[in-house]
Amino acid sequence: MRHLVKQEGLSEQVQIDSAGTAGWHEGKLPDERMRGAGKSRGYQLNSRARQLKRADLSDFDLVLMMDESNLRDSRTLDPEGLHKSKVRLLCEFCTQHDAREVPDPYYGGPEGFENVLDLLEDGCAGVLAEIKARAAE
């Protein structure tokens, strides 16, 4: 997403952050295999993991989840449902793929990481299109 936003010259207008719903990997870099797959596509994946906070749900206009499990976990931070409409699955924005969720590639081979990147590129392009459409309104 950062790559796309930078290409469009929107880095000053669009704030991007990343967080997981669990704290297992807090402070760590992304999986080495994902960093390698990303590097082959021109991405530097070097942010450190952090855990999603309740404040994130109010601070951001859109909070994207990779799968249904993450979506359910995020709802524990918003028991009143105040931010339900802006917490969505990334694959809702895909236009080239039919997947509902981004799968966890951890236990598979390199093709799993490539598939995840394909879904992320597709979904992020859809998110960017929506951002641009909202800005044009």
Side-chain angles (χ1 to χ4, degrees), residues 13-14 26 35 37 42 49 64 71 73 79 83 85 90 95 100-101 103 107 132:
Q13 292 86 7
V14 179
E26 201 159 349
R35 291 195 321 262
L64 300 169
L71 191 61
D73 290 346
H83 307 289
S85 65
L90 176 69
T95 60
R100 175 148 169 78
E101 300 179 322
Y107 295 105
K132 290 167 71 175

Side-chain angles (χ1 to χ4, degrees), residues 2 17 21 24-25 27 30 35 37 44 47-48 63 65 68 73 90 97 101-102 108-109 112 115-116 118 120 127 129:
R2 285 185 184 97
D17 200 354
T21 56
W24 302 314
H25 303 290
R35 291 195 321 262
Q44 280 200 348
S47 61
R48 300 282 176 168
V63 180
M65 298 293 148
E68 291 284 347
D73 290 346
L90 176 69
H97 296 86
E101 300 179 322
V102 176
N115 179 51
V116 165
D118 290 344
L120 294 177
V127 170

Side-chain angles (χ1 to χ4, degrees), residues 2 9-10 18 27 33 35 42 59 65 76 91 105 107 118 126 130:
R2 285 185 184 97
L10 297 172
S18 178
R33 296 166 294 173
R35 291 195 321 262
D59 291 347
M65 298 293 148
T76 65
C91 285
Y107 295 105
D118 290 344
E130 183 161 313

Side-chain angles (χ1 to χ4, degrees), residues 57-71:
L57 302 180
S58 58
D59 291 347
F60 290 93
D61 296 326
L62 185 61
V63 180
L64 300 169
M65 298 293 148
M66 297 299 116
D67 60 35
E68 291 284 347
S69 175
N70 294 148
L71 191 61

Side-chain angles (χ1 to χ4, degrees), residues 2-3 8 14-15 19 23 25 29-30 39 41 46 48 65-66 72-73 76 82 86 88 95 103 106 108 120 125 129:
R2 285 185 184 97
H3 181 81
E8 292 291 323
V14 179
Q15 181 184 358
H25 303 290
L29 289 168
K39 185 176 181 180
R41 296 186 189 207
N46 55 12
R48 300 282 176 168
M65 298 293 148
M66 297 299 116
R72 282 189 303 276
D73 290 346
T76 65
L82 300 174
K86 64 179 173 177
R88 299 173 59 189
T95 60
Y106 186 81
L120 294 177

